[in-house]
Amino acid sequence: MEVHKIIQSCRDAVEAGRERGQIVGLVPTMGALHAGHLSLIEAARRRCDLVVVTLFVNPTQFGPGEDLTAYPRDFDGDVRACESAGVGMLFAPTTDIMYPGGEATTVHVARLTEHLCGASRPGHFDGVTTVVTKLFHIAPAHLAFFGEKDYQQLVVIRKMAADLNMPIEIVGCPIVREPDGLAMSSRNAYLNPDERGRATVLFRALTEAQARVAEGNVDSGAVLDGLRRTIGDAGMIEVEYAEIVEASTLTPLTIVDRPARICLAARLGRSRLIDNVAVDPPGDAG
Ligand code: AMP
């Protein structure tokens, strides 16, 4: 596995792969890799000849007071994990390489970034879309793989790639969960044992809500009230938002009459966790 730390050598190596006729797949991550990341790498391996993983804790997507300095980092472990997962190339730049100073350009996706996580994390998605655009230019892949765990991020990146005619296919991958249902996340490392136990209520509340819709309860307000009650019963969890949104546009739905997503963000202690599940209108076979 090649490890690149500078932009030109990474781009040259990816372009050489393309010239050899390889289909290149990109998996952008912030490292501290877990089984969720590995599932993206596996999906990329199924469709691509050369898998490029990027490891970069992107400061511009963290707000003031967020967990940038505390964010878990494990470069050696990540290198080993990528090597055994069959990754061909790793790009792990420093912040100075990615942002040498004097940058004046931001990629902004309007509307889709204004609610859900965008409401409580101003500027977060500009940080994401700008760094992902940079990575698409540094490692010009044919496909890029993103997890449904960060569902809003996936929809925003799809929209950015479409609007800006980026010559890359965005592939969404299902959420990988712990055996008790908690969505895997590098941030789960912040949870103490008590919080870790209570965190399982998030997925339980989401699946209950999903079942209520499947039984014919299509009133989003009522379904979300039930979800908040279930989470409230677990104690000491603050729901930041819980919304049912149209799956492709993230438009909030008052009635679940089309494919949708129940999206949730919650705070437990010093951790902020997000999760989501798909919901289809009752009787919708698709
Ligand atoms: P991160 O390192 O947290 O920025 O995540 C990098 C990529 O991995 C993003 O596309 C995430 O959506 C994806 N990802 C993170 N956790 C999971 C998970 N539990 N299941 C599937 N994908 C995930």
Side-chain angles (χ1 to χ4, degrees):
M1 185 176 73
E2 293 177 23
V3 179
H4 294 278
K5 299 209 164 184
I6 59 171
I7 289 167
Q8 196 59 50
S9 74
C10 178
R11 187 186 285 135
D12 289 348
V14 172
E15 276 170 358
R18 291 179 73 113
E19 275 156 27
R20 285 194 299 272
Q22 290 184 309
I23 301 294
V24 181
L26 182 68
V27 181
T29 81
M30 298 205 298
L33 300 182
H34 52 65
H37 298 114
L38 296 178
S39 76
L40 304 190
I41 293 171
E42 281 158 27
R45 285 198 62 193
R46 283 194 291 276
R47 294 204 44 201
C48 306
D49 308 302
L50 172 61
V51 176
V52 182
V53 171
T54 68
L55 295 180
F56 180 57
V57 182
N58 175 37
T60 68
Q61 69 191 69
F62 289 77
E66 289 189 358
D67 57 342
L68 174 62
T69 46
Y71 196 84
R73 288 163 170 87
D74 179 15
F75 180 72
D76 295 340
D78 291 346
V79 169
R80 284 194 297 274
C82 285
E83 221 148 24
S84 40
V87 170
M89 204 181 289
L90 205 58
F91 177 57
T94 60
T95 301
D96 289 349
I97 294 271
M98 289 298 280
Y99 301 107
E103 293 76 27
T105 307
T106 299
V107 180
H108 175 69
V109 175
R111 297 190 294 280
L112 290 174
T113 57
E114 282 160 17
H115 63 324
L116 304 172
C117 288
S120 58
R121 305 188 71 190
H124 166 70
F125 285 111
D126 285 0
V128 170
T129 44
T130 303
V131 82
V132 168
T133 300
K134 286 164 74 74
L135 293 172
F136 285 178
H137 286 97
I138 293 166
H142 298 91
L143 300 91
F145 296 79
F146 294 89
E148 291 180 349
K149 161 76 174 31
D150 301 275
Y151 191 76
Q152 186 177 17
Q153 170 176 281
L154 171 62
V155 172
V156 165
I157 288 170
R158 272 194 208 291
K159 181 73 176 144
M160 171 187 83
D163 286 355
L164 297 182
N165 311 98
M166 293 181 172
I168 191 160
E169 178 183 338
I170 307 301
V171 183
C173 300
I175 301 176
V176 176
R177 298 180 179 280
E178 300 285 358
D180 63 11
L182 179 66
M184 289 198 177
S185 165
S186 308
R187 290 191 164 97
N188 292 350
Y190 301 150
L191 299 170
N192 68 31
D194 172 58
E195 291 163 349
R196 174 66 187 80
R198 280 183 292 115
T200 57
V201 75
L202 302 182
F203 182 57
R204 190 152 42 81
L206 284 168
T207 45
E208 269 176 28
Q210 195 182 36
R212 284 204 185 104
V213 176
E215 287 159 9
N217 301 297
V218 293
D219 177 341
S220 295
V223 171
L224 293 172
D225 284 346
L227 176 140
R228 286 174 185 277
R229 264 196 306 276
T230 301
I231 295 174
D233 290 346
M236 300 204 298
I237 301 179
E238 184 203 330
V239 175
E240 183 183 292
Y241 66 74
E243 284 195 46
I244 304 185
V245 296
E246 191 185 7
S248 55
T249 63
L250 304 180
T251 307
L253 295 178
T254 31
I255 300 293
V256 189
D257 57 359
R258 61 199 87 171
R261 213 84 195 182
I262 313 179
C263 296
L264 173 66
R267 289 183 187 276
L268 283 87
R270 66 185 186 110
S271 312
R272 178 180 181 278
L273 303 180
I274 58 171
D275 199 352
N276 67 86
V277 293
V279 269
D280 290 310
D284 188 312

